[in-house]
Amino acid sequence: MGLPTFKKGIHPNDNKSFTNHKPIEYLPIPEEVFIPLQQHIGVAGDVLVEKGQEVKTGQVIGKSEKFVSAPVHASITGTVKAVDQFLHPLGIKATMIHIEKTAEEDEWETINAPENWETASIEDLRNLIWQAGIVGLGGAAFPTHVKLAPPKEKEINTFILNGVECEPFLTADHRAMLEMGDKMLIGMSIIMKILGTENGYIGIENNKPDAIEIMNELVSKKFPAFKVVPLKVKYPQGAEKMLIEAIVKRRVPAGGLPMDVGTVVNNVGTALAVANAVVEGKPLIERIVTVTGQGITEPKNLMVRIGTPFKTLMESCGGLKESAIQVYMGGPMMGFAQYDMNVPIVKATSGIICQEKSDIFKKKTYPCIQCGNCVSVCPMNLLPTRLSSFAEMVKLEEAEEFGILNCIECGSCSYVCPSNIPLVQWIRVGKLQVSESKRKKVA
Amino acid sequence: MDFTAIIIAMASLGGLGMIFSVGLSIANKKLHVEEDPRIAEVIEELPGANCGGCGLPGCAAFAEAVIAGEAEISGCPVNSDEGSQLIAEIMGVEVTTSERLIARVICQGGDYETAKKGVYQGVKTCIGATFAGGGDKLCSYGCIGYSDCVESCPFDAMYMNDNGLPVVINDKCTGCGNCVEACPRDIMELHPESHKLFVLCKNLDSPKESRKICTRACVGCGICVRLAGEGNMEMQDNLAVVNYDIYGSDPVLPTEKCPTDVLAILGGQVIEEKQSA
């Protein structure tokens, strides 16, 4: 029997050899940072600072009292230069706080961590995670304290730590597991204490044998309750619904959440951030970013402050090559193309990928030949070809009936389409239109 | 040859036919619905394009609404004044003629004028581009240029020019407003024919910013506002706005004073000439 995995999915070339052997480098504290108020799913915070104010590293500068939100913190010690609209890596203008560095050394403003987390109350721990502004660092940026507060009727019996990193090119989670595995497992223990579950799994794809080995070693030494599960290499295994299917063989119902099958999934980076917050009292002000691709002179894994402009990272990697023509934030399958290198690193930035002309195939689109390739790879068992044409024809009711809202936008359908139809792009447009029209109906 | 089988078949089928025909004729009498004959007459006088410009699903629905007194006789934006007059005659009332509306393109940022972000490879419709960063132009207020409005026009009254901007053929435009609905950036606007003065820009960026991204952007200098005089025009968020209630129908403004050529006096085919220039 082979290694566990989920049904369907694709096998893109993983391209991880650019950076998977390179230790994480700490980028020097940047001269300036731009911190967007909204870096998470949910309500954007209100600005708590004003122009000219001095801020310390870790100070809360944006916060909302709403439950589904996360505060943002100053990531350097300096002066607030402006609170204005700047370009966000998602291609929109958003309110950001521009801070200029004044001190070479960090002056910290930490959160009140308990002396011993093992005796702290669950409520306190959850509150601490909220204060630290922790969101899902895998890319979706869903506030973690919300995920860790499932409604009473949903009994959570399984926790999965997501070390899959199925997007090609990215190696940030891989390096974190190798270098900070110990702390990460403490974070996992904290999360499991909050959830009150005993079953902890760590899912890692088989293309990271060194990470599996190190994790196994740590688990057998200190955390015997956890189980490391090597997985067959396949995309999109890092999507939480697929990972649940692969490890515990449960299928999240359509329109449901992982908690409906008694499971919670968190990224390894998130567990690390939880440990930092609870054990050391450090809010989420930095993250690991993989800067990679054929188009960058020296690919690296960097630990950077949130809000650092892209160009600062690129300079430290030797800059873009002449031949580079496209830069993405995130992985190549689900990332966002960028046109301005002044955009900042946000909590959801897992990587910056710089591609050369030869990597990008601008192919002609042909009509659908009804081959069914997209149907056979869709991990959510949808019909991408139907959904995309419904979206194209603005047939929103039909699209909803065919389950367009269940699409996880993994892009597998577009990847396999022999006619180069922009399937996932259309489905995304359709999804947004459907949810918009639903919102209008409610209002 | 035995004819009985044929006779039995004919008799039984004939009998069945008789029974059903009696049933049908009773149903016809009993379930008869009185339809106003005027509905058909009104439909005759309507354009029949089923464009939806009146807000109802097609011309027949509009005709019914008119008969029921739920819609204005002049509620069809497409119908000519004579058409409305004929409907009014059918209804036996007087009609007040409404002014003809024309769709206007409130943006001059074509491919030549605007600065670009890069190459856009997503789906080539305006609504699709809106959800994916907003196309390849840097301006986040202007025309995206993927012709959703032209596609939506049921009267062939629009086309895309060489500069990647939509053009309204004034004579063909019926003012149904489909293009206004289709545009995700609100570039298309319906204006009465009497509105002559236009600020052909929607950009609210700071003057410094807008100067960088488009050579035909309103930079908020305020020259037009000073020339037009108090109350006739005003500046709102870096954009000059005409107060159409009291001004704009008979302007005597020297539009060439506008430094970025945003201010225009439009009428007839001028819009087309100006935009393809």
Side-chain angles (χ1 to χ4, degrees):
Chain A
M1 216 181 85
L3 294 168
T5 187
F6 62 102
K7 281 187 190 139
K8 302 188 175 182
I10 55 170
H11 303 270
N13 186 357
D14 76 1
N15 280 310
K16 290 187 193 275
S17 57
F18 286 106
T19 48
N20 63 4
H21 54 282
K22 294 194 175 168
I24 298 166
E25 238 177 77
Y26 281 75
L27 193 74
I29 300 173
E31 290 301 316
E32 52 172 5
V33 290
F34 296 85
I35 300 172
L37 281 176
Q38 178 144 29
Q39 302 182 38
H40 53 267
I41 293 177
V43 189
D46 303 319
V47 186
L48 299 185
V49 290
E50 51 194 45
K51 196 177 161 182
Q53 194 178 329
E54 300 281 327
V55 290
K56 288 179 185 168
T57 310
Q59 186 179 338
V60 179
I61 52 177
K63 190 175 169 180
S64 162
E65 291 306 318
K66 296 269 165 52
F67 185 56
V68 185
S69 72
V72 291
H73 304 79
S75 58
I76 56 174
T77 305
T79 320
V80 176
K81 197 89 191 302
V83 179
D84 205 354
Q85 301 277 313
F86 294 102
L87 191 70
H88 191 282
L90 296 181
I92 45 168
K93 290 228 169 125
T95 311
M96 297 194 196
I97 297 162
H98 180 189
I99 304 172
E100 225 174 36
K101 181 169 80 170
T102 53
E104 285 305 318
E105 291 282 317
D106 280 323
E107 246 180 85
W108 277 89
E109 187 175 312
T110 51
I111 41 181
N112 298 324
E115 273 178 26
N116 185 356
W117 63 267
E118 280 169 70
T119 53
S121 80
I122 289 175
E123 219 34 65
D124 283 350
L125 288 175
R126 202 181 281 146
N127 194 24
L128 215 56
I129 289 175
W130 176 66
Q131 279 179 26
I134 297 175
V135 300
L137 296 183
F142 190 75
T144 302
H145 67 279
V146 181
K147 222 177 193 177
L148 299 186
K152 280 212 174 64
E153 66 272 16
K154 309 260 195 241
E155 199 198 324
I156 304 298
N157 52 31
T158 310
F159 174 75
I160 300 174
L161 191 66
N162 186 350
V164 172
E165 202 162 52
C166 59
E167 277 264 12
F169 286 100
L170 303 183
T171 56
D173 290 354
H174 182 184
R175 289 312 304 184
M177 283 191 282
L178 289 180
E179 295 171 35
M180 304 163 188
D182 214 352
K183 207 188 240 180
M184 196 179 282
L185 291 177
I186 293 173
M188 180 167 169
S189 313
I190 296 167
I191 293 173
M192 284 176 60
K193 182 184 152 108
I194 297 172
L195 291 169
T197 102
E198 299 288 304
N199 304 320
Y201 296 96
I202 304 159
I204 307 172
E205 275 190 354
N206 207 23
N207 58 357
K208 303 183 246 306
D210 43 352
I212 295 174
E213 196 179 309
I214 284 192
M215 280 303 195
N216 262 327
E217 210 169 287
L218 285 169
V219 163
S220 60
K221 265 191 211 153
K222 295 182 192 161
F223 306 92
F226 301 164
K227 200 167 167 245
V228 179
V229 187
L231 300 159
K232 199 176 158 188
V233 181
K234 208 153 86 173
Y235 178 88
Q237 195 139 246
E240 53 183 15
K241 291 173 186 174
M242 308 306 85
L243 189 59
I244 292 169
E245 188 184 327
I247 292 184
V248 291
K249 307 283 171 234
R250 296 175 194 165
R251 186 106 202 164
V252 179
L257 291 169
M259 63 170 79
D260 293 331
V261 291
T263 318
V264 168
V265 182
N266 268 134
N267 185 265
V268 288
T270 316
L272 204 57
V274 168
N276 275 335
V278 175
V279 179
E280 294 172 19
K282 279 187 187 170
L284 178 58
I285 56 143
E286 56 185 3
R287 69 157 297 147
I288 308 165
V289 175
T290 307
V291 184
T292 181
Q294 288 88 338
I296 193 102
T297 315
E298 195 190 339
K300 277 180 186 176
N301 293 302
L302 292 169
M303 179 68 99
V304 296
R305 299 293 165 98
I306 304 286
T308 311
F310 275 30
K311 60 173 186 212
T312 314
L313 276 80
M314 288 176 167
E315 277 161 23
S316 98
C317 293
L320 282 174
K321 284 186 196 162
E322 288 266 302
S323 53
I325 64 161
Q326 193 160 18
V327 175
Y328 290 102
M329 177 192 91
M333 299 296 291
M334 290 185 70
F336 294 88
Q338 302 298 321
Y339 61 89
D340 189 337
M341 290 307 117
N342 290 314
V343 294
I345 297 289
V346 293
K347 289 175 184 174
T349 310
S350 45
I352 300 175
I353 299 174
C354 314
Q355 293 193 301
E356 275 187 318
K357 193 157 194 173
S358 58
D359 307 333
I360 294 168
F361 306 98
K362 206 189 167 196
K363 297 181 207 147
K364 194 171 170 255
T365 303
Y366 295 94
C368 176
I369 54 167
Q370 308 283 332
C371 66
N373 275 2
C374 54
V375 180
S376 64
V377 297
C378 179
M380 295 303 288
N381 289 330
L382 301 169
L383 305 173
T385 166
R386 296 295 289 278
L387 290 176
S388 82
S389 45
F390 283 144
E392 201 172 342
M393 303 296 163
V394 205
K395 296 216 177 295
L396 302 184
E397 277 165 31
E398 283 90 337
E400 201 185 338
E401 205 178 302
F402 276 71
I404 197 166
L405 294 178
N406 293 322
C407 171
I408 57 168
E409 300 177 20
C410 67
S412 300
C413 47
S414 298
Y415 181 83
V416 296
C417 181
S419 290
N420 311 318
I421 300 170
L423 291 163
V424 73
Q425 288 85 340
W426 271 120
I427 294 174
R428 215 159 166 172
V429 172
K431 253 179 99 172
L432 285 157
Q433 279 182 290
V434 168
S435 23
E436 210 163 84
S437 76
K438 271 180 114 172
R439 251 203 309 280
K440 263 186 211 153
K441 253 178 226 166
V442 173
Chain B
M1 203 174 169
D2 185 7
F3 284 98
T4 34
I6 295 171
I7 291 163
I8 291 170
M10 278 173 70
S12 55
L13 282 178
L16 273 176
M18 287 288 277
I19 293 165
F20 287 137
S21 63
V22 169
L24 275 175
S25 60
I26 292 170
N28 186 30
K29 283 270 180 291
K30 286 256 178 203
L31 304 174
H32 181 68
V33 180
E34 201 66 52
E35 198 197 42
D36 199 318
R38 293 179 302 175
I39 290 180
E41 286 173 43
V42 173
I43 291 174
E44 275 295 293
E45 302 307 332
L46 288 170
N50 291 324
C51 67
C54 54
L56 291 162
C59 293
F62 176 72
E64 278 171 36
V66 168
I67 302 294
E70 286 158 7
E72 291 283 327
I73 288 169
S74 55
C76 174
V78 180
N79 214 352
S80 59
D81 284 346
E82 297 92 79
S84 298
Q85 203 62 52
L86 287 169
I87 297 172
E89 274 168 31
I90 296 166
M91 297 292 291
V93 291
E94 282 291 312
V95 66
T96 47
T97 51
S98 60
E99 199 187 345
R100 184 179 164 226
L101 295 173
I102 299 180
R104 302 289 195 191
V105 185
I106 313 293
C107 177
Q108 296 185 98
D111 290 338
Y112 302 130
E113 289 87 8
T114 48
K116 301 287 185 295
K117 292 174 185 170
V119 184
Y120 174 76
Q121 296 188 345
V123 292
K124 289 265 162 48
T125 67
C126 304
I127 190 89
T130 312
F131 292 128
D136 62 354
K137 292 176 191 168
L138 266 175
C139 180
S140 51
Y141 300 93
C143 175
I144 300 174
Y146 296 136
S147 72
D148 278 17
C149 50
V150 176
E151 304 284 322
S152 78
C153 182
F155 299 99
D156 270 344
M158 295 184 80
Y159 66 91
M160 297 300 285
N161 67 12
D162 299 341
N163 196 9
L165 278 176
V167 177
V168 179
I169 304 166
N170 287 0
D171 293 343
K172 283 193 185 171
C173 179
T174 59
C176 70
N178 279 9
C179 50
V180 179
E181 290 263 304
C183 182
R185 288 270 174 92
D186 296 336
I187 298 302
M188 302 302 304
E189 282 183 5
L190 279 181
H191 281 274
E193 214 174 358
S194 63
H195 288 183
K196 295 276 193 280
L197 184 69
F198 289 89
V199 179
L200 296 176
C201 184
K202 288 251 170 178
N203 193 312
L204 304 178
D205 285 330
S206 66
K208 204 176 132 205
E209 188 96 335
S210 49
R211 221 183 270 270
K212 243 187 280 174
I213 58 182
C214 183
T215 56
R216 285 277 183 93
C218 175
V219 292
C221 63
I223 289 176
C224 53
V225 177
R226 278 198 298 281
L227 287 170
E230 192 65 28
N232 293 335
M233 285 182 79
E234 56 177 321
M235 295 300 296
Q236 287 175 4
D237 302 326
N238 301 320
L239 182 66
V241 178
V242 181
N243 184 355
Y244 286 112
D245 289 342
I246 53 172
Y247 195 66
S249 298
D250 193 16
V252 282
L253 211 54
T255 50
E256 68 277 4
K257 286 267 160 59
C258 177
T260 49
D261 207 4
V262 176
L263 203 62
I265 293 176
L266 303 180
Q269 292 291 329
V270 181
I271 190 165
E272 186 183 334
E273 282 158 27
K274 192 170 170 78
Q275 287 190 342
S276 49

